[in-house]
Amino acid sequence: RRDEQQQVVKQSAAEWSAWLVQQALSETLTPDTVIGIFSHVETARVVAHGVGEKRARIAAIQKDIDIYRADVKRVADAHPDATVTLTNDEAPMAVAQAADRLVERFDQTREAVAARKSAVRAAEECEVSLAQATARQTGEENRIRELLVLAETDDPEEFRRRARQQLERQGLERTSQQHLSSLRATWGGEHDLDAARAAFASTTKDAIDEELRQAEAVLAELTQRSTEQKEERGSLQLRMKQLSSDEDASRQRGRREELVEELRVLAGEWSKLVVARALLVRARKKYEEERQPDVVRRAQTFFHGLTGGRYPKLHVTVGEQEISVIDQNSVRKTPEQLSRGTYEQLYLALRFGLIQSMGEETERLPVIVDEVLVNFDLERARRAAAAFVELSRTNQVLVLTCHQWMVDLFKEVVPNAALVDLSAVQAIQR
């Protein structure tokens, strides 16, 4: 086995030497050395690849620089007044400075163009404002001419003088009206204006002053007499109280005790009546809430479904025939306050409640309706069809209609509902 292994080793060494010759490598290299060389070669390949990428990047940057230089030169040649002269050997910093100057000049030009546009817009707005002001001025001039014509003059100063006179005249008229109102208030409606003018015309100021003095003297005398009479009246009232105080006071105190005792008895009776009334009201409310008629309770269930839960309760007041509905917010409404669709839903629910209630006491009869859903919208009709399905659990329901949509609606709600085409039955009978 050793000889065989040595033979295999010699054969492998020969193959290794042949492979080294084929790869143009030294025959003295060992496999471990070759692996190290390959590792260095791979590293060198990676480095060479990175160097190639960097050289390509440098070439691309140089290309961008050449393009930028050409663009700057073209712009500089188009603006000879910018004092920019470039050659292919110009330093990059000089190119950048020249470009900055061109950009600054471009920004200044752009700002100047924007300022010019703004000035043009301002000029247009000023022209519009001028036209409007001119139109207003023309209107005011026409108005002035009209006012001068109405005033029958062509002199503005004369017009102003007449206007001042008119204002003064209006002020005097207001003052006159105020004085007349004061006079009417003083007269108290006993005299009219013509009578006052006649009275003033038939007398003088001295005569009026004399009458006023006489009236003041009479008033002072009457005031003095009134004061004396009031004092005398007070003395008499005091004397009357002194004369009747003892006997009357005793009688009034006895009467007061009687009234207090009577009031105490009445207060006790009133308290009992108030408590009894409160208990009766509470008992009646509890009875109305818990002991509604069977028809109303059954109709309440149908009405709740027909309205989609908007009205969960029906209510009938004890001793009255009026029915009311209660919505989700506990607000009570009479049938007159409902919409037409809800009113018909209430009517249908009461019918259903009556049918079920009668079925508990007598034979359950079929329910036949004809076009009962024509006044309902689609949603109300769908809920009504569901109510008919609920009613069909206790009574046979026959629905007559000539509308295909109503047939489709019932088939949607009750897929197994029996459908009888009366037109086909009549054709068979013929």
Side-chain angles (χ1 to χ4, degrees), residues 39-54:
S39 176
H40 290 300
V41 170
E42 184 64 26
T43 302
R45 183 182 293 109
V46 172
V47 173
H49 180 71
V51 171
E53 290 181 350
K54 290 181 179 179

Side-chain angles (χ1 to χ4, degrees), residues 163-384:
R164 286 194 296 272
Q165 290 179 350
Q166 178 65 16
L167 293 176
E168 293 174 358
R169 178 175 176 274
Q170 293 176 355
L172 292 174
E173 289 179 351
R174 286 194 297 271
T175 303
S176 176
Q177 292 295 330
Q178 293 174 359
H179 291 329
L180 288 176
S181 299
S182 300
L183 287 174
R184 291 191 180 96
T186 303
W187 296 334
E190 297 180 358
H191 305 285
D192 57 6
L193 184 59
D194 295 334
R197 288 174 178 172
F200 288 141
S202 61
T203 186
T204 61
K205 184 178 182 301
D206 295 335
I208 293 175
D209 291 339
E210 180 63 25
E211 292 180 1
L212 180 60
R213 284 192 293 271
Q214 293 178 2
E216 289 176 349
V218 172
L219 178 61
E221 181 180 357
L222 294 174
T223 302
Q224 181 65 26
R225 290 176 58 184
S226 175
T227 303
E228 294 174 354
Q229 290 176 356
K230 288 180 179 179
E231 293 176 354
E232 183 179 0
R233 179 186 177 188
S235 300
L236 293 174
Q237 288 179 347
L238 179 61
R239 180 59 178 166
M240 291 174 62
K241 287 182 180 179
Q242 291 175 353
L243 293 175
S244 61
S245 59
D246 296 337
E247 181 181 357
D248 185 63
S250 177
R251 187 171 58 254
Q252 293 298 332
R253 281 194 294 270
R255 179 58 179 168
R256 178 177 178 275
E257 293 298 330
E258 294 176 0
L259 293 176
V260 169
E261 183 62 26
E262 184 179 355
L263 180 61
R264 187 179 295 109
V265 174
L266 294 176
E269 294 180 358
W270 178 82
S271 301
K272 295 177 182 178
L273 292 175
V274 169
V275 173
R277 181 179 181 277
L279 293 175
L280 288 174
V281 170
R282 186 179 301 176
R284 176 178 178 178
K285 183 177 181 181
K286 183 177 180 61
Y287 180 83
E288 289 177 350
E289 292 177 353
E290 300 179 357
R291 299 298 182 88
Q292 290 291 316
D294 182 66
V295 174
V296 176
R297 286 190 291 105
R298 295 176 184 274
Q300 177 176 280
T301 303
F302 283 108
F303 191 59
H304 181 268
L306 286 170
T307 59
R310 290 177 55 197
Y311 296 95
K313 291 184 179 181
L314 297 179
H315 184 270
V316 176
T317 305
V318 176
E320 300 179 3
Q321 297 298 323
E322 182 179 356
I323 189 169
S324 58
V325 299
I326 301 175
D327 62 12
Q328 294 174 332
N329 300 322
S330 300
V331 177
R332 182 172 298 183
K333 298 181 180 179
T334 62
E336 291 75 12
Q337 295 175 322
L338 302 176
S339 64
R340 179 180 177 182
T342 308
Y343 183 87
E344 293 186 358
Q345 287 175 329
L346 175 61
Y347 177 80
L348 192 61
L350 290 173
R351 288 286 185 175
F352 286 177
L354 179 61
I355 291 169
Q356 284 193 343
S357 180
M358 291 177 60
E360 296 293 334
E361 300 176 358
T362 61
E363 183 70 21
R364 297 186 183 276
L365 300 177
V367 178
I368 304 175
V369 295
D370 184 13
E371 303 295 359
V372 70
L373 306 181
V374 293
N375 293 328
F376 289 172
D377 56 32
L378 184 59
E379 186 60 29
R380 282 194 174 101
R382 184 175 287 108
R383 290 198 292 264

